[in-house]
Coordinates of all heavy atoms in Angstrom, one line a residue:
M8 N 21.6 -6.4 -15.7 CA 21.4 -6.4 -14.3 C 21.4 -4.9 -13.8 O 22.3 -4.2 -14.2 CB 22.5 -7.2 -13.6 CG 22.4 -7.2 -12.1 SD 23.6 -8.3 -11.4 CE 23.0 -8.6 -9.8
P9 N 20.4 -4.5 -13.0 CA 20.4 -3.1 -12.6 C 21.6 -2.8 -11.7 O 22.1 -3.7 -11.0 CB 19.1 -3.0 -11.8 CG 18.5 -4.3 -11.7 CD 19.3 -5.3 -12.5
A10 N 22.0 -1.5 -11.7 CA 23.1 -1.1 -10.9 C 22.6 -1.2 -9.4 O 21.5 -0.9 -9.1 CB 23.4 0.3 -11.2
T11 N 23.5 -1.6 -8.6 CA 23.2 -1.7 -7.1 C 24.2 -0.7 -6.4 O 25.3 -0.4 -6.9 CB 23.4 -3.1 -6.6 OG1 24.7 -3.5 -6.8 CG2 22.4 -4.1 -7.3
H12 N 23.8 -0.3 -5.2 CA 24.5 0.6 -4.4 C 24.6 0.0 -3.0 O 23.6 -0.2 -2.4 CB 23.9 2.0 -4.4 CG 23.8 2.6 -5.7 ND1 24.8 3.2 -6.4 CD2 22.7 2.7 -6.5 CE1 24.4 3.6 -7.6 NE2 23.1 3.3 -7.7
P13 N 25.8 -0.2 -2.5 CA 25.9 -0.7 -1.1 C 25.4 0.3 -0.1 O 25.6 1.5 -0.2 CB 27.4 -1.0 -0.9 CG 28.1 -0.1 -1.9 CD 27.1 0.1 -3.1
V14 N 24.7 -0.2 0.9 CA 24.1 0.6 2.0 C 24.3 -0.2 3.3 O 24.1 -1.4 3.4 CB 22.6 0.8 1.7 CG1 22.0 1.6 2.9 CG2 22.3 1.5 0.4
A15 N 24.7 0.5 4.3 CA 24.9 -0.1 5.6 C 23.6 0.1 6.4 O 23.0 1.1 6.4 CB 26.1 0.6 6.3
V16 N 23.2 -1.0 7.0 CA 22.0 -1.0 7.8 C 22.4 -1.6 9.2 O 23.0 -2.7 9.3 CB 20.9 -1.9 7.2 CG1 19.7 -2.0 8.2 CG2 20.5 -1.4 5.9
K17 N 22.2 -0.8 10.2 CA 22.6 -1.2 11.5 C 21.3 -1.8 12.2 O 20.3 -1.2 12.3 CB 23.0 0.0 12.4 CG 24.3 0.6 11.8 CD 24.8 1.7 12.7 CE 26.1 2.2 12.1 NZ 26.8 3.1 12.9
L18 N 21.5 -3.1 12.6 CA 20.4 -3.8 13.3 C 20.8 -4.1 14.7 O 22.0 -4.4 14.9 CB 20.2 -5.2 12.5 CG 19.8 -5.1 11.1 CD1 19.8 -6.5 10.5 CD2 18.5 -4.4 10.9
D19 N 19.9 -4.2 15.6 CA 20.3 -4.6 16.9 C 20.6 -6.1 16.9 O 20.2 -6.8 16.0 CB 19.2 -4.2 18.0 CG 17.9 -4.9 17.8 OD1 17.9 -6.1 17.6 OD2 16.8 -4.2 17.9
A20 N 21.3 -6.5 17.9 CA 21.8 -7.9 17.9 C 20.7 -8.9 17.8 O 20.8 -9.9 17.1 CB 22.6 -8.1 19.2
D21 N 19.5 -8.7 18.5 CA 18.4 -9.6 18.5 C 17.9 -9.8 17.1 O 17.7 -10.9 16.6 CB 17.3 -9.2 19.5 CG 16.2 -10.2 19.4 OD1 16.4 -11.4 19.7 OD2 15.0 -9.7 19.1
V22 N 17.6 -8.7 16.4 CA 17.0 -8.7 15.1 C 18.0 -9.4 14.1 O 17.7 -10.2 13.2 CB 16.6 -7.3 14.6 CG1 16.3 -7.3 13.1 CG2 15.5 -6.8 15.4
H23 N 19.3 -9.1 14.3 CA 20.3 -9.6 13.4 C 20.4 -11.2 13.6 O 20.5 -11.9 12.6 CB 21.7 -9.0 13.7 CG 22.7 -9.3 12.7 ND1 23.9 -10.0 13.0 CD2 22.8 -9.1 11.3 CE1 24.6 -10.1 11.9 NE2 24.0 -9.7 10.9
A24 N 20.3 -11.6 14.8 CA 20.4 -13.1 15.1 C 19.1 -13.7 14.5 O 19.2 -14.8 13.9 CB 20.4 -13.3 16.6
R25 N 18.0 -13.1 14.7 CA 16.7 -13.7 14.1 C 16.8 -13.7 12.6 O 16.3 -14.7 12.0 CB 15.5 -12.8 14.6 CG 15.2 -13.0 16.1 CD 14.3 -12.0 16.6 NE 13.1 -11.9 15.9 CZ 12.3 -10.8 15.9 NH1 12.6 -9.8 16.6 NH2 11.2 -10.8 15.2
M26 N 17.4 -12.7 12.0 CA 17.5 -12.7 10.5 C 18.4 -13.8 10.1 O 18.1 -14.5 9.1 CB 18.1 -11.3 10.1 CG 18.4 -11.2 8.6 SD 16.9 -11.1 7.6 CE 16.3 -9.5 8.1
R27 N 19.5 -14.0 10.8 CA 20.4 -15.2 10.4 C 19.7 -16.5 10.5 O 19.8 -17.4 9.7 CB 21.7 -15.1 11.3 CG 22.7 -14.0 10.9 CD 24.0 -14.2 11.5 NE 24.0 -14.5 12.9 CZ 24.1 -13.6 13.9 NH1 24.2 -12.3 13.6 NH2 24.0 -14.0 15.2
Q28 N 18.9 -16.7 11.6 CA 18.2 -17.9 11.8 C 17.1 -18.1 10.7 O 17.0 -19.2 10.2 CB 17.5 -17.9 13.2 CG 18.4 -18.1 14.3 CD 17.7 -18.0 15.7 OE1 16.7 -17.4 15.8 NE2 18.3 -18.7 16.7
L29 N 16.4 -17.1 10.4 CA 15.4 -17.2 9.3 C 16.0 -17.5 8.0 O 15.6 -18.3 7.2 CB 14.6 -15.9 9.3 CG 13.4 -15.9 8.3 CD1 12.4 -17.0 8.7 CD2 12.7 -14.5 8.4
A30 N 17.1 -16.8 7.7 CA 17.9 -17.1 6.4 C 18.3 -18.5 6.3 O 18.2 -19.2 5.3 CB 19.0 -16.1 6.3
K31 N 18.9 -19.0 7.4 CA 19.3 -20.4 7.4 C 18.2 -21.4 7.2 O 18.3 -22.3 6.4 CB 20.0 -20.7 8.8 CG 20.6 -22.1 8.9 CD 21.3 -22.3 10.2 CE 21.9 -23.7 10.2 NZ 22.6 -23.9 11.5
A32 N 17.0 -21.1 7.9 CA 15.9 -22.0 7.7 C 15.3 -22.0 6.3 O 14.8 -23.0 5.8 CB 14.8 -21.6 8.7
Q33 N 15.5 -20.9 5.6 CA 14.9 -20.7 4.3 C 16.0 -21.0 3.2 O 15.7 -20.8 2.0 CB 14.3 -19.3 4.1 CG 13.1 -19.1 4.9 CD 12.4 -17.8 4.7 OE1 12.9 -17.0 3.9 NE2 11.4 -17.5 5.4
H34 N 17.2 -21.4 3.6 CA 18.3 -21.6 2.7 C 18.5 -20.4 1.8 O 18.7 -20.5 0.6 CB 18.0 -22.9 1.8 CG 17.7 -24.1 2.6 ND1 18.7 -24.7 3.3 CD2 16.6 -24.8 2.9 CE1 18.2 -25.8 4.0 NE2 16.9 -25.8 3.7
R35 N 18.5 -19.3 2.5 CA 18.8 -18.0 1.8 C 19.9 -17.3 2.6 O 20.3 -17.7 3.7 CB 17.6 -17.1 1.8 CG 16.4 -17.6 1.0 CD 16.7 -17.5 -0.5 NE 15.5 -17.9 -1.2 CZ 15.5 -17.8 -2.5 NH1 16.5 -17.4 -3.2 NH2 14.4 -18.1 -3.2
T36 N 20.4 -16.2 2.1 CA 21.4 -15.4 2.8 C 20.6 -14.3 3.5 O 19.5 -13.8 3.1 CB 22.4 -14.7 1.9 OG1 21.7 -13.8 1.0 CG2 23.2 -15.8 1.1
P37 N 21.2 -13.8 4.7 CA 20.5 -12.7 5.3 C 20.4 -11.5 4.3 O 19.4 -10.7 4.4 CB 21.5 -12.3 6.5 CG 22.1 -13.7 6.8 CD 22.3 -14.3 5.4
H38 N 21.4 -11.3 3.5 CA 21.4 -10.2 2.5 C 20.2 -10.3 1.6 O 19.5 -9.3 1.4 CB 22.7 -10.3 1.7 CG 22.8 -9.3 0.6 ND1 22.5 -9.6 -0.7 CD2 23.1 -7.9 0.7 CE1 22.7 -8.4 -1.4 NE2 23.0 -7.5 -0.6
Y39 N 19.9 -11.5 1.1 CA 18.7 -11.7 0.3 C 17.5 -11.3 1.0 O 16.6 -10.7 0.5 CB 18.7 -13.2 -0.2 CG 17.4 -13.5 -0.9 CD1 17.3 -13.3 -2.3 CD2 16.3 -14.0 -0.2 CE1 16.1 -13.6 -3.0 CE2 15.1 -14.3 -0.9 CZ 15.0 -14.1 -2.3 OH 13.8 -14.3 -3.0
L40 N 17.3 -11.8 2.3 CA 16.1 -11.5 3.0 C 15.9 -10.0 3.3 O 14.8 -9.5 3.2 CB 16.1 -12.3 4.4 CG 16.0 -13.8 4.3 CD1 15.9 -14.4 5.7 CD2 14.9 -14.2 3.5
M41 N 17.0 -9.4 3.5 CA 17.0 -7.9 3.8 C 16.6 -7.2 2.5 O 15.8 -6.2 2.5 CB 18.3 -7.4 4.3 CG 18.5 -7.8 5.8 SD 20.0 -7.1 6.5 CE 21.2 -8.3 6.1
R42 N 17.2 -7.6 1.4 CA 16.8 -6.9 0.1 C 15.3 -7.1 -0.2 O 14.6 -6.2 -0.6 CB 17.6 -7.5 -1.0 CG 19.0 -6.9 -1.0 CD 19.8 -7.5 -2.2 NE 19.1 -7.3 -3.5 CZ 19.7 -7.1 -4.6 NH1 21.0 -7.0 -4.7 NH2 19.0 -6.9 -5.7
E43 N 14.8 -8.4 0.0 CA 13.4 -8.7 -0.2 C 12.5 -7.8 0.7 O 11.5 -7.3 0.3 CB 13.1 -10.2 0.0 CG 13.5 -11.0 -1.2 CD 12.6 -10.7 -2.4 OE1 11.4 -10.7 -2.4 OE2 13.2 -10.3 -3.5
A44 N 12.9 -7.8 2.0 CA 12.1 -7.1 2.9 C 12.0 -5.6 2.6 O 10.9 -5.0 2.6 CB 12.7 -7.2 4.3
I45 N 13.1 -5.0 2.2 CA 13.2 -3.6 1.9 C 12.4 -3.3 0.6 O 11.6 -2.4 0.5 CB 14.6 -3.1 1.7 CG1 15.3 -3.1 3.1 CG2 14.7 -1.7 1.1 CD1 16.8 -2.9 3.1
A46 N 12.5 -4.2 -0.4 CA 11.8 -4.0 -1.7 C 10.3 -4.1 -1.4 O 9.5 -3.3 -1.9 CB 12.2 -5.1 -2.7
Q47 N 9.8 -5.1 -0.6 CA 8.4 -5.2 -0.3 C 7.9 -4.0 0.5 O 6.8 -3.5 0.3 CB 8.1 -6.5 0.5 CG 8.3 -7.7 -0.4 CD 8.1 -9.0 0.4 OE1 7.5 -9.0 1.5 NE2 8.6 -10.1 -0.1
Y48 N 8.7 -3.5 1.5 CA 8.3 -2.4 2.2 C 8.1 -1.1 1.4 O 7.1 -0.4 1.5 CB 9.4 -2.1 3.3 CG 9.1 -0.8 4.1 CD1 8.2 -0.8 5.1 CD2 9.7 0.4 3.7 CE1 8.0 0.4 5.8 CE2 9.5 1.5 4.4 CZ 8.6 1.5 5.4 OH 8.3 2.7 6.1
V49 N 9.1 -0.9 0.5 CA 9.0 0.3 -0.4 C 7.8 0.2 -1.3 O 7.1 1.2 -1.5 CB 10.3 0.4 -1.2 CG1 10.2 1.5 -2.3 CG2 11.5 0.8 -0.3
E50 N 7.5 -1.0 -1.9 CA 6.4 -1.1 -2.8 C 5.1 -0.9 -2.0 O 4.2 -0.1 -2.4 CB 6.3 -2.5 -3.4 CG 5.2 -2.7 -4.4 CD 5.3 -4.0 -5.1 OE1 6.4 -4.5 -5.3 OE2 4.3 -4.5 -5.6
R51 N 5.0 -1.4 -0.8 CA 3.8 -1.2 0.0 C 3.6 0.2 0.4 O 2.5 0.8 0.3 CB 3.9 -2.1 1.3 CG 2.6 -2.0 2.2 CD 2.8 -2.8 3.4 NE 3.8 -2.3 4.3 CZ 4.9 -3.0 4.7 NH1 5.1 -4.2 4.3 NH2 5.8 -2.5 5.5
E52 N 4.7 0.9 0.8 CA 4.6 2.3 1.2 C 4.3 3.2 0.0 O 3.6 4.2 0.2 CB 5.8 2.7 2.0 CG 6.0 2.0 3.3 CD 4.8 2.3 4.2 OE1 4.3 3.5 4.4 OE2 4.2 1.3 4.8
E53 N 4.8 2.9 -1.1 CA 4.5 3.7 -2.3 C 3.0 3.6 -2.6 O 2.4 4.6 -3.0 CB 5.3 3.2 -3.5 CG 6.7 3.6 -3.5 CD 7.6 2.9 -4.6 OE1 7.1 1.9 -5.2 OE2 8.6 3.5 -4.9
K54 N 2.4 2.4 -2.5 CA 1.0 2.2 -2.7 C 0.2 3.0 -1.7 O -0.8 3.7 -2.0 CB 0.6 0.8 -2.7 CG 1.0 0.0 -3.9 CD 0.7 -1.5 -3.8 CE 1.2 -2.2 -5.0 NZ 1.0 -3.7 -4.9
R55 N 0.6 2.9 -0.4 CA 0.0 3.7 0.6 C 0.0 5.2 0.4 O -0.9 5.9 0.6 CB 0.6 3.3 2.0 CG -0.1 3.9 3.2 CD 0.6 3.5 4.5 NE 0.7 2.1 4.5 CZ 0.8 1.3 5.6 NH1 0.8 1.9 6.8 NH2 0.9 0.0 5.5
E56 N 1.2 5.7 0.0 CA 1.3 7.1 -0.3 C 0.5 7.5 -1.5 O -0.1 8.6 -1.5 CB 2.8 7.4 -0.6 CG 3.1 8.9 -0.8 CD 2.6 9.8 0.3 OE1 2.5 9.4 1.4 OE2 2.4 11.0 0.0
A57 N 0.4 6.7 -2.5 CA -0.5 7.0 -3.7 C -1.9 7.1 -3.2 O -2.7 8.0 -3.6 CB -0.3 6.0 -4.8
F58 N -2.4 6.2 -2.4 CA -3.7 6.2 -1.8 C -4.0 7.5 -1.0 O -5.0 8.1 -1.2 CB -4.0 4.9 -1.0 CG -5.3 4.9 -0.4 CD1 -6.4 4.5 -1.2 CD2 -5.5 5.1 0.9 CE1 -7.7 4.4 -0.7 CE2 -6.8 5.1 1.5 CZ -7.9 4.7 0.7
R59 N -3.0 7.8 -0.2 CA -3.1 9.1 0.6 C -3.2 10.3 -0.3 O -4.0 11.2 -0.1 CB -1.9 9.2 1.5 CG -2.1 10.3 2.6 CD -0.8 10.5 3.4 NE 0.2 11.2 2.7 CZ 0.2 12.5 2.4 NH1 -0.8 13.2 2.9 NH2 1.2 13.0 1.8
Q60 N -2.4 10.3 -1.4 CA -2.4 11.5 -2.3 C -3.8 11.6 -3.0 O -4.3 12.6 -3.2 CB -1.3 11.4 -3.3 CG 0.1 11.7 -2.8 CD 0.2 13.1 -2.3 OE1 -0.4 14.0 -2.9 NE2 0.9 13.3 -1.2
E61 N -4.4 10.4 -3.4 CA -5.7 10.4 -4.0 C -6.7 11.0 -3.0 O -7.6 11.7 -3.4 CB -6.1 9.0 -4.4 CG -5.4 8.5 -5.6 CD -5.8 7.1 -6.0 OE1 -6.9 6.7 -5.6 OE2 -5.0 6.4 -6.6
A62 N -6.6 10.6 -1.7 CA -7.5 11.1 -0.7 C -7.4 12.6 -0.6 O -8.4 13.3 -0.5 CB -7.3 10.4 0.6
V63 N -6.2 13.1 -0.5 CA -5.9 14.6 -0.4 C -6.5 15.3 -1.6 O -7.2 16.3 -1.5 CB -4.4 14.9 -0.3 CG1 -4.1 16.3 -0.4 CG2 -3.9 14.4 1.1
E64 N -6.3 14.7 -2.8 CA -6.8 15.4 -4.0 C -8.4 15.3 -4.0 O -9.0 16.3 -4.4 CB -6.3 14.7 -5.3 CG -4.8 14.9 -5.5 CD -4.2 14.0 -6.6 OE1 -4.9 13.3 -7.3 OE2 -2.9 14.0 -6.6
A65 N -8.9 14.2 -3.6 CA -10.4 14.1 -3.5 C -11.0 15.1 -2.5 O -12.0 15.8 -2.8 CB -10.8 12.7 -3.1
W66 N -10.3 15.3 -1.4 CA -10.8 16.2 -0.4 C -10.7 17.7 -0.9 O -11.6 18.5 -0.8 CB -9.9 16.1 0.9 CG -10.3 17.1 1.9 CD1 -9.5 18.1 2.4 CD2 -11.6 17.2 2.6 NE1 -10.2 18.8 3.4 CE2 -11.4 18.3 3.5 CE3 -12.8 16.6 2.6 CZ2 -12.5 18.7 4.4 CZ3 -13.8 17.0 3.4 CH2 -13.7 18.0 4.3
S67 N -9.6 18.0 -1.6 CA -9.4 19.3 -2.2 C -10.5 19.6 -3.3 O -11.1 20.6 -3.3 CB -8.0 19.4 -2.9 OG -7.0 19.4 -1.9
A68 N -10.8 18.5 -4.1 CA -11.9 18.7 -5.1 C -13.2 18.9 -4.4 O -14.0 19.8 -4.9 CB -11.9 17.5 -6.0
Y69 N -13.5 18.2 -3.4 CA -14.7 18.4 -2.7 C -14.8 19.8 -2.1 O -15.9 20.4 -2.2 CB -14.9 17.3 -1.5 CG -16.0 17.7 -0.6 CD1 -17.4 17.5 -1.0 CD2 -15.8 18.1 0.7 CE1 -18.4 17.8 -0.2 CE2 -16.8 18.5 1.5 CZ -18.1 18.3 1.1 OH -19.2 18.7 1.9
Q70 N -13.7 20.2 -1.5 CA -13.8 21.6 -0.9 C -14.0 22.6 -2.0 O -14.6 23.6 -1.7 CB -12.5 21.8 -0.1 CG -12.4 21.1 1.2 CD -11.1 21.3 1.9 OE1 -10.0 21.2 1.3 NE2 -11.2 21.7 3.1
A71 N -13.4 22.4 -3.2 CA -13.5 23.4 -4.2 C -14.9 23.4 -4.9 O -15.4 24.4 -5.3 CB -12.5 23.2 -5.3
T72 N -15.5 22.2 -5.0 CA -16.8 22.1 -5.8 C -18.0 21.7 -4.9 O -19.1 22.0 -5.3 CB -16.6 21.0 -6.9 OG1 -16.5 19.7 -6.2 CG2 -15.5 21.2 -7.8
G73 N -17.8 21.1 -3.8 CA -18.9 20.6 -3.0 C -19.6 19.4 -3.6 O -20.6 18.9 -3.0
L74 N -19.1 18.8 -4.7 CA -19.7 17.7 -5.3 C -19.4 16.4 -4.5 O -18.3 16.2 -4.0 CB -19.2 17.5 -6.7 CG -19.6 18.5 -7.7 CD1 -18.9 18.2 -9.1 CD2 -21.1 18.5 -7.9
H75 N -20.4 15.6 -4.3 CA -20.3 14.4 -3.4 C -21.4 13.4 -3.7 O -22.4 13.8 -4.4 CB -20.3 14.8 -2.0 CG -21.6 15.3 -1.5 ND1 -22.1 16.5 -1.8 CD2 -22.6 14.7 -0.8 CE1 -23.3 16.7 -1.3 NE2 -23.7 15.6 -0.7
V76 N -21.3 12.2 -3.2 CA -22.5 11.3 -3.1 C -22.6 11.0 -1.6 O -21.6 11.0 -0.8 CB -22.3 10.0 -3.9 CG1 -22.2 10.3 -5.4 CG2 -21.1 9.2 -3.5
T77 N -23.8 10.7 -1.2 CA -24.0 10.4 0.2 C -23.6 8.9 0.5 O -23.4 8.1 -0.5 CB -25.5 10.5 0.6 OG1 -26.3 9.5 -0.1 CG2 -26.0 11.9 0.3
Q78 N -23.4 8.6 1.7 CA -23.0 7.2 2.1 C -24.1 6.3 1.7 O -23.8 5.2 1.2 CB -22.8 7.1 3.6 CG -22.4 5.7 4.0 CD -22.1 5.6 5.5 OE1 -22.0 6.6 6.2 NE2 -21.9 4.4 5.9
A79 N -25.4 6.7 1.8 CA -26.5 5.8 1.4 C -26.5 5.5 -0.1 O -26.7 4.4 -0.6 CB -27.8 6.4 1.8
E80 N -26.2 6.6 -0.9 CA -26.1 6.4 -2.3 C -24.9 5.5 -2.7 O -25.1 4.6 -3.6 CB -25.9 7.8 -3.0 CG -27.1 8.7 -2.9 CD -26.8 10.1 -3.3 OE1 -25.6 10.6 -3.1 OE2 -27.7 10.8 -3.7
A81 N -23.8 5.7 -2.0 CA -22.6 4.8 -2.3 C -22.9 3.4 -1.9 O -22.6 2.4 -2.6 CB -21.4 5.3 -1.6
D82 N -23.5 3.2 -0.7 CA -23.9 1.8 -0.3 C -24.8 1.1 -1.2 O -24.7 -0.1 -1.5 CB -24.5 1.9 1.1 CG -23.4 2.1 2.2 OD1 -22.2 2.0 1.9 OD2 -23.8 2.5 3.4
D83 N -25.8 1.9 -1.7 CA -26.8 1.3 -2.6 C -26.1 0.9 -3.9 O -26.4 -0.2 -4.4 CB -27.9 2.3 -2.9 CG -29.0 1.7 -3.8 OD1 -29.5 0.6 -3.5 OD2 -29.3 2.4 -4.8
W84 N -25.3 1.7 -4.4 CA -24.6 1.4 -5.7 C -23.7 0.2 -5.5 O -23.7 -0.7 -6.3 CB -23.7 2.6 -6.1 CG -22.8 2.4 -7.2 CD1 -23.2 2.0 -8.5 CD2 -21.4 2.5 -7.3 NE1 -22.0 1.9 -9.3 CE2 -20.9 2.2 -8.6 CE3 -20.5 2.8 -6.3 CZ2 -19.6 2.2 -8.9 CZ3 -19.1 2.9 -6.6 CH2 -18.7 2.5 -7.9
L85 N -22.9 0.1 -4.4 CA -22.1 -1.0 -4.1 C -22.9 -2.3 -3.9 O -22.4 -3.4 -4.4 CB -21.2 -0.7 -2.9 CG -20.1 0.3 -3.1 CD1 -19.5 0.7 -1.8 CD2 -19.1 -0.1 -4.1
A86 N -24.0 -2.2 -3.3 CA -24.9 -3.4 -3.1 C -25.3 -3.9 -4.5 O -25.4 -5.1 -4.7 CB -26.1 -3.1 -2.2
Q87 N -25.7 -3.0 -5.4 CA -26.1 -3.4 -6.7 C -24.9 -4.1 -7.5 O -25.2 -5.1 -8.1 CB -26.6 -2.2 -7.5 CG -27.9 -1.7 -7.0 CD -28.3 -0.4 -7.7 OE1 -28.0 -0.2 -8.9 NE2 -29.1 0.5 -7.0
L88 N -23.8 -3.5 -7.3 CA -22.6 -4.2 -8.0 C -22.3 -5.6 -7.4 O -22.1 -6.5 -8.1 CB -21.3 -3.3 -7.8 CG -21.3 -2.0 -8.6 CD1 -20.1 -1.2 -8.2 CD2 -21.4 -2.2 -10.1
E89 N -22.4 -5.7 -6.1 CA -22.2 -6.9 -5.4 C -23.2 -8.0 -5.8 O -22.9 -9.2 -5.9 CB -22.3 -6.7 -3.9 CG -21.9 -8.0 -3.1 CD -21.8 -7.7 -1.6 OE1 -22.7 -6.9 -1.1 OE2 -20.9 -8.3 -1.0
A90 N -24.5 -7.5 -6.2 CA -25.5 -8.4 -6.6 C -25.4 -8.8 -8.1 O -26.2 -9.5 -8.6 CB -26.9 -7.7 -6.4
G91 N -24.3 -8.3 -8.7 CA -24.0 -8.7 -10.1 C -24.7 -7.7 -11.1 O -24.6 -8.0 -12.3
Q92 N -25.3 -6.7 -10.7 CA -25.9 -5.7 -11.6 C -24.8 -4.8 -12.2 O -23.9 -4.3 -11.5 CB -26.9 -4.9 -10.9 CG -28.1 -5.7 -10.4 CD -29.1 -4.9 -9.6 OE1 -29.1 -3.6 -9.8 NE2 -29.9 -5.5 -8.8
D93 N -24.9 -4.5 -13.5 CA -23.9 -3.6 -14.1 C -24.5 -2.2 -14.1 O -25.2 -1.8 -15.0 CB -23.6 -4.1 -15.5 CG -22.5 -3.3 -16.2 OD1 -21.7 -2.7 -15.5 OD2 -22.4 -3.3 -17.4
V94 N -24.3 -1.5 -13.0 CA -24.9 -0.1 -12.9 C -23.8 0.9 -12.9 O -22.7 0.7 -12.4 CB -25.7 -0.1 -11.6 CG1 -27.0 -1.0 -11.7 CG2 -24.9 -0.4 -10.4
E95 N -24.2 2.1 -13.3 CA -23.3 3.3 -13.3 C -23.2 3.8 -11.9 O -24.2 3.7 -11.1 CB -23.8 4.3 -14.2 CG -23.8 4.0 -15.7 CD -22.4 3.8 -16.2 OE1 -21.5 4.6 -15.9 OE2 -22.1 2.8 -17.0
P96 N -22.1 4.4 -11.5 CA -22.0 5.0 -10.2 C -23.0 6.2 -10.1 O -23.4 6.8 -11.1 CB -20.6 5.5 -10.1 CG -20.1 5.6 -11.5 CD -20.9 4.6 -12.3
P97 N -23.4 6.5 -8.8 CA -24.4 7.6 -8.7 C -23.7 8.9 -9.1 O -22.5 9.1 -9.0 CB -24.7 7.6 -7.2 CG -23.5 6.8 -6.5 CD -23.0 5.9 -7.6
E98 N -24.6 9.8 -9.5 CA -24.1 11.2 -9.9 C -23.7 12.0 -8.7 O -24.4 12.0 -7.7 CB -25.2 11.9 -10.7 CG -25.5 11.4 -12.1 CD -24.4 11.6 -13.1 OE1 -23.8 12.7 -13.0 OE2 -24.2 10.7 -13.9
C99 N -22.7 12.7 -8.8 CA -22.3 13.6 -7.7 C -23.2 14.8 -7.7 O -23.7 15.3 -8.8 CB -20.8 14.1 -7.9 SG -19.6 12.8 -7.7
H100 N -23.4 15.4 -6.6 CA -24.3 16.5 -6.4 C -23.8 17.4 -5.3 O -22.9 17.0 -4.5 CB -25.7 16.1 -6.2 CG -25.9 15.1 -5.1 ND1 -26.0 15.5 -3.8 CD2 -26.0 13.8 -5.1 CE1 -26.1 14.4 -3.0 NE2 -26.1 13.3 -3.8
T101 N -24.3 18.6 -5.1 CA -23.9 19.5 -4.0 C -24.9 19.4 -2.9 O -26.0 18.9 -3.0 CB -23.8 20.9 -4.5 OG1 -25.1 21.3 -5.1 CG2 -22.7 21.1 -5.5

């Protein structure tokens, strides 16, 4: 079992009451629901941050090289893929 660390989370009274009601309805503890909520939030935000980092890196690469595909080229390629054709992505150009 992984090591756990106690953390205090202060909730306003309304959210706390709603959490207790939801936990009761799901036959879970509020603690369980909070752990699940935090784990899902962290996973989602990690994915969002990775996507943002990829965008920053792509923008930096574009600024450095000028290589790109046009929207029309990308749309045509995606339409071909959607139609079931096994096509290579368009070549980047300046």
Side-chain angles (χ1 to χ4, degrees):
M8 180 173 198
T11 60
H12 303 279
V14 176
V16 177
K17 294 183 181 190
L18 302 174
D19 64 46
D21 178 59
V22 171
H23 191 239
R25 290 166 54 203
M26 177 70 67
R27 285 193 314 265
Q28 287 177 333
L29 187 58
K31 185 177 179 180
Q33 294 183 0
H34 305 288
R35 297 287 188 176
T36 64
H38 178 258
Y39 173 86
L40 294 184
M41 287 185 270
R42 285 180 53 145
E43 279 297 304
I45 292 168
Q47 289 177 20
Y48 174 83
V49 168
E50 186 172 333
R51 182 181 67 240
E52 291 302 312
E53 286 173 338
K54 289 177 182 176
R55 187 179 306 204
E56 181 59 23
F58 181 76
R59 192 187 74 77
Q60 286 297 324
E61 286 179 26
V63 167
E64 291 169 12
W66 177 245
S67 294
Y69 168 73
Q70 289 179 308
T72 66
L74 292 175
H75 68 284
V76 295
T77 65
Q78 180 177 350
E80 292 166 334
D82 284 345
D83 182 51
W84 173 61
L85 292 170
Q87 290 175 29
L88 290 176
E89 188 176 36
Q92 299 175 19
D93 187 21
V94 292
E95 293 293 319
E98 290 290 324
C99 291
H100 51 82
T101 55

